Amino acid sequence: MAALQAGIDAQNQKLVASTLARVQKEGVIRKTLEQHQHKLIAQQGQLEELNKHLVTSNLARESLSTTVTTALKKLALATSTQSQRVDSVEARLASLAERQRECELQLQQLSGAGWAAYLGRNAVPLVALAVAVFALGLNLFG
């Protein structure tokens, strides 16, 4: 009985020692798990911050894209308007150039060759002036 009791006590001590070793291992494992859990929580917080930053960044990009698109539409409209204005100015310049050619032709026709051409162009007004001077002279001296 004493030998059996000694065997039971030895088994109990082994069981207590193995249980104590297992509890210590479980404590180490639990502590390691808690450390990993704290790290995961910290990393999750960092990921949430990065996600917020990405959302903000994406919203800023969308806003910038909208602004650039609007600016490009306004630029296209301004370019179209400017092109129409340039076309209008070119048409006016062509019209003015044609009018200038017409005026130059008229000047060439009117300029002729010296006094003979001048007298030929202005014969009627010169005769009228001479008659008016003659009539004035008659009235003054007559």
Side-chain angles (χ1 to χ4, degrees):
M1 202 62 157
L4 191 55
Q5 187 65 33
I8 290 176
D9 287 340
Q11 287 295 328
N12 275 341
Q13 285 180 349
K14 283 182 184 180
L15 186 59
V16 167
S18 109
T19 303
L20 182 60
R22 193 172 19 144
V23 167
Q24 287 175 346
K25 283 182 184 179
E26 286 177 2
V28 169
I29 291 172
R30 194 173 290 128
K31 191 172 186 178
T32 304
L33 283 174
E34 287 176 1
Q35 289 173 349
H36 286 299
Q37 190 176 20
H38 288 299
K39 286 180 184 178
L40 286 174
I41 290 171
Q43 288 175 348
Q44 185 179 6
Q46 290 174 346
L47 287 174
E48 288 174 359
E49 288 297 319
L50 284 173
N51 191 28
K52 287 178 187 177
H53 178 70
L54 286 173
V55 168
T56 303
S57 177
N58 284 341
L59 288 174
R61 282 190 195 119
E62 287 177 13
S63 174
L64 180 61
S65 175
T66 301
T67 302
V68 168
T69 301
T70 303
L72 286 174
K73 286 179 182 177
K74 287 180 181 179
L75 181 62
L77 180 62
T79 300
S80 174
T81 302
Q82 199 67 16
S83 176
Q84 290 172 353
R85 288 178 182 169
V86 166
D87 291 345
S88 173
V89 167
E90 286 176 347
R92 287 180 187 168
L93 284 175
S95 173
L96 288 174
E98 181 62 29
R99 181 70 180 131
Q100 182 181 2
R101 281 191 288 275
E102 290 172 5
C103 289
E104 287 173 352
L105 285 174
Q106 286 178 356
L107 283 174
Q108 287 174 356
Q109 290 173 357
L110 292 176
S111 64
W115 281 100
Y118 177 77
L119 291 175
R121 284 190 313 270
N122 296 307
V124 174
L126 288 174
V127 169
L129 179 64
V131 170
V133 168
F134 180 73
L136 181 64
L138 286 178
N139 279 333
L140 290 176
F141 298 111

